[in-house]
């Protein structure tokens, strides 16, 4: 059994859209959440194949650098 993959924010941004839900199967490169910063949309993508165990943000949230966005198992 492999470790769960934590996806974390790389910048301060607003959560514009949550695309994936817990229980969704995802492939590497699939968009999980779209962040918005300085009028730019930044997709947050799965870094591995797996199942979304948790989406830790909601639309409208503000994330800080290092905040947990999602967990893929």
């Amino acid at each position: 059994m492999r470790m769960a993959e934590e996806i974390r924010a790389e910048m301060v941004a607003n959560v514009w859209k949550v695309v994936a839900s817990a229980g969704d199967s995802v492939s590497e490169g699939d968009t999980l959440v779209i962040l918005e910063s300085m009028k730019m949309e930044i997709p947050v993508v799965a870094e591995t194949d797996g199942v979304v165990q948790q989406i830790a943000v909601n639309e409208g949230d503000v994330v800080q650098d290092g905040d947990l966005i999602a967990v893929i198992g």
Side-chain angles (χ1 to χ4, degrees), residues 5-9 54-57 63-64 66-71:
E5 180 82 26
E6 293 185 345
I7 310 291
R8 295 191 173 270
Q54 177 188 5
I55 296 288
V57 296
V63 293
Q64 305 294 321
D67 284 358
L68 182 65
I69 292 179
V71 178

Side-chain angles (χ1 to χ4, degrees), residues 8-56:
R8 295 191 173 270
E10 296 179 359
M11 67 187 73
V12 177
N14 297 307
V15 179
W16 182 69
K17 189 166 180 67
V18 176
V19 179
S21 302
D24 287 356
S25 291
V26 294
S27 299
E28 181 179 346
D30 285 356
T31 300
L32 304 173
V33 173
I34 300 173
L35 302 179
E36 184 274 324
S37 180
M38 297 181 291
K39 306 283 187 227
M40 291 178 49
E41 292 176 15
I42 302 111
V44 177
V45 299
E47 296 171 2
T48 184
D49 296 349
V51 175
V52 178
Q53 295 180 344
Q54 177 188 5
I55 296 288

